Amino acid sequence: MTELVRIQEEDFCLEDEVKRLRAISNRVGSIVTFLGTARDFSDDKDVSAIEFEQYAGMAKKALSALREEANKRFDIIETSIIHRISTIKPGEQIVLIVVASEHRKAGFAACEWVIDTLKETAPIWKKEITPEGDSWVVPHP
Amino acid sequence: MTELVRIQEEDFCLEDEVKRLRAISNRVGSIVTFLGTARDFSDDKDVSAIEFEQYAGMAKKALSALREEANKRFDIIETSIIHRISTIKPGEQIVLIVVASEHRKAGFAACEWVIDTLKETAPIWKKEITPEGDSWVVPHP
Amino acid sequence: MVVKILFFGILSGKTGTKETTIEVSEGCVPLSDIIAELKTRFPELPDGPFIYAVNEEQVQTSHTIKDGDEVAIMPPFAGG
Amino acid sequence: MVVKILFFGILSGKTGTKETTIEVSEGCVPLSDIIAELKTRFPELPDGPFIYAVNEEQVQTSHTIKDGDEVAIMPPFAGG
């Protein structure tokens, strides 16, 4: 069975990930997803690609801890988290969070919490490739 | 082109709907979706199916107004809304909201607002088919 | 004037019909008069709360009904 | 003792390396001593803020470093 938490180079399929969580239980009444995609423009610069770097062992542990904490903290059924690590072009998929729950309120809260907390706790960095050169992204406070 | 607001008997494909909104602009950095599915259990009753009824002309207008209002009220790029009207079995898809935006915060807020407001403003009703008989669903306050 | 009435959800079950027409002698009446008339004709109609629409637009009971209007009597919405 | 050091993100660009080792004569030192030593060896290392991990667990600068530890010096995370 495909893991619920993955860091991978290859692209992922939203439909498959959602189907997997829906299949867990007939009690699922709400699926909230967040899909992050690469924009071609960031802080007034054209961006031709984004390169991701991770601290491999620690990043995987951080995302697994995030899934467990989300399942514990919110009244939800299951969470899956996928983050790509490779050179990503504008329009391509970067990250996907899927939250299955009985009711939607907990699902929205959990999904937003997971992506917000991922950005704070997962040792992943991105470099924007622009016509004027490369630059590491400094997270907004 | 497939419409962004639809009320239909047939099932829909999450992946296709998301792709359609992503294709609108390379400025899209966030896609938030809400998918409502039929549960097999509601208020202590087993549910074998849900039947939906709509006030056809008015329901379509209500969803279209909802999309326009979401696009105006939130800092987002586009919204799509699909609601199925037919007999739906446990595990099947009922409603889908997709919100494309540059940043995720507005996307989450808009998506949750659309489904909350849809339940208040769209002339759609559901009847739960249970082993003990049928009963129209009274919305929770 | 003649007004078309639509019942939705549990209301069509209670009244036994999804659609009916009402004739009133006046040319214009407030929606509240139509509702009173419906309650006489369909004693099974519950007390509400109802949502009302005229020609697919939501209205209050003070709204004026005219000949040919389509009036919808609706229980609280429960979509999604 | 010998400690393995990892630099991530902009820091490997500044120091010119992703990985290095440091030898210190003591058997146990606080992480802050290791950082001071790194600043001497890599004057290009910016002032931070940094996030630190030892053996893949996030720690504070008071954490005690032992022989064979893997120490990661990381700029603020920017995933997602």
Side-chain angles (χ1 to χ4, degrees):
Chain A
M1 154 154 175
T2 321
E3 284 185 80
L4 290 168
V5 172
R6 276 142 47 212
I7 298 176
Q8 61 188 36
E9 294 210 356
E10 60 274 27
D11 202 6
F12 50 80
C13 170
L14 173 63
E15 185 84 24
D16 289 348
E17 302 303 327
V18 167
K19 273 202 180 118
R20 206 144 52 87
L21 281 215
R22 288 176 60 193
I24 288 175
S25 161
N26 263 351
R27 299 283 161 97
V28 174
S30 161
I31 297 270
V32 178
T33 73
F34 169 75
L35 171 65
T37 57
R39 294 182 297 140
D40 64 358
F41 196 78
S42 162
D43 292 332
D44 293 331
K45 294 185 310 261
D46 285 320
V47 175
S48 53
I50 305 177
E51 278 178 25
F52 283 89
E53 183 183 348
Q54 64 162 327
Y55 181 7
M58 189 179 167
K60 180 67 189 292
K61 275 193 219 168
L63 298 197
S64 296
L66 206 50
R67 168 183 159 264
E68 280 169 34
E69 180 65 21
N71 289 351
K72 219 181 297 176
R73 187 184 280 239
F74 299 92
D75 185 12
I76 60 177
I77 295 169
E78 189 52 275
T79 305
S80 77
I81 306 173
I82 307 174
H83 198 302
R84 288 179 69 203
I85 295 289
S86 45
T87 299
I88 292 178
K89 296 241 156 58
E92 290 185 359
Q93 308 187 121
I94 298 170
V95 61
L96 176 67
I97 317 289
V98 183
V99 175
S101 58
E102 290 200 56
H103 302 290
R104 70 187 185 284
K105 206 172 147 61
F108 275 108
C111 190
E112 192 163 14
W113 180 85
V114 169
I115 181 62
D116 287 353
T117 310
L118 182 153
K119 286 174 181 263
E120 284 166 15
T121 62
I124 299 174
W125 301 271
K126 56 173 163 269
K127 189 163 63 174
E128 288 173 345
I129 315 298
T130 80
E132 294 81 38
D134 305 351
S135 69
W136 287 97
V137 173
V138 178
H140 294 278
Chain B
M1 156 157 172
T2 320
E3 284 185 82
L4 290 170
V5 172
R6 277 143 47 212
I7 297 176
Q8 62 188 38
E9 296 210 355
E10 61 272 27
D11 202 6
F12 50 79
C13 171
L14 173 63
E15 185 85 23
D16 289 348
E17 301 304 325
V18 167
K19 274 202 182 119
R20 206 145 51 87
L21 281 215
R22 287 175 60 193
I24 289 175
S25 161
N26 263 352
R27 299 282 160 100
V28 174
S30 161
I31 298 270
V32 178
T33 74
F34 169 75
L35 171 65
T37 58
R39 295 182 297 139
D40 63 359
F41 196 80
S42 163
D43 292 334
D44 293 332
K45 295 184 310 257
D46 285 320
V47 175
S48 53
I50 304 177
E51 277 179 26
F52 283 89
E53 182 182 350
Q54 65 163 328
Y55 183 6
M58 189 179 168
K60 180 67 189 294
K61 274 193 219 166
L63 299 196
S64 297
L66 206 50
R67 170 183 157 265
E68 279 168 35
E69 179 66 21
N71 289 352
K72 219 181 297 175
R73 187 185 281 240
F74 298 92
D75 184 12
I76 60 177
I77 295 169
E78 189 53 275
T79 306
S80 78
I81 306 174
I82 306 174
H83 199 303
R84 288 179 68 202
I85 296 289
S86 45
T87 300
I88 291 179
K89 296 242 155 59
E92 288 185 2
Q93 306 188 122
I94 298 169
V95 60
L96 176 68
I97 317 291
V98 183
V99 175
S101 58
E102 289 200 57
H103 302 288
R104 72 187 184 283
K105 207 172 147 62
F108 275 108
C111 190
E112 192 162 14
W113 180 86
V114 169
I115 181 63
D116 286 354
T117 311
L118 181 154
K119 286 172 182 264
E120 285 166 15
T121 62
I124 299 176
W125 301 272
K126 56 173 163 273
K127 188 163 65 173
E128 289 173 344
I129 315 299
T130 79
E132 294 82 37
D134 304 351
S135 69
W136 287 98
V137 173
V138 178
H140 294 277
Chain C
M1 66 168 180
V2 177
V3 176
K4 180 171 163 187
I5 307 291
L6 304 176
F7 293 115
F8 288 96
I10 195 167
L11 303 185
S12 59
K14 296 278 188 194
T15 60
T17 183
K18 283 179 181 291
E19 195 178 322
T20 187
T21 53
I22 278 201
E23 271 200 67
V24 286
S25 47
E26 295 91 337
C28 278
V29 298
L31 172 56
S32 49
D33 283 16
I34 303 281
I35 298 161
E37 171 66 21
L38 286 170
K39 289 204 166 155
T40 311
R41 244 172 84 179
F42 299 100
E44 318 79 9
L45 206 57
D47 281 334
F50 298 144
I51 298 161
Y52 305 101
V54 173
N55 304 329
E56 304 183 351
E57 296 287 344
Q58 204 172 317
V59 298
Q60 302 301 312
T61 54
S62 57
H63 185 90
T64 303
I65 304 301
K66 294 182 297 293
D67 186 45
D69 277 350
E70 175 177 288
V71 175
I73 319 288
M74 305 177 282
F77 304 149
Chain D
M1 67 167 180
V2 177
V3 176
K4 181 171 163 185
I5 307 290
L6 303 176
F7 293 116
F8 287 96
I10 196 169
L11 303 186
S12 59
K14 296 281 187 192
T15 60
T17 183
K18 282 180 181 291
E19 194 178 324
T20 187
T21 55
I22 278 201
E23 270 198 70
V24 285
S25 47
E26 295 91 338
C28 280
V29 296
L31 173 56
S32 49
D33 282 18
I34 303 282
I35 298 161
E37 170 65 22
L38 286 169
K39 288 205 166 154
T40 311
R41 247 175 82 180
F42 299 101
E44 317 80 10
L45 206 58
D47 281 334
F50 297 142
I51 298 161
Y52 305 101
V54 173
N55 304 327
E56 302 181 354
E57 296 289 344
Q58 204 173 318
V59 297
Q60 303 301 312
T61 54
S62 57
H63 185 89
T64 302
I65 304 300
K66 293 180 296 295
D67 187 44
D69 276 353
E70 176 177 288
V71 175
I73 317 287
M74 305 177 283
F77 303 150

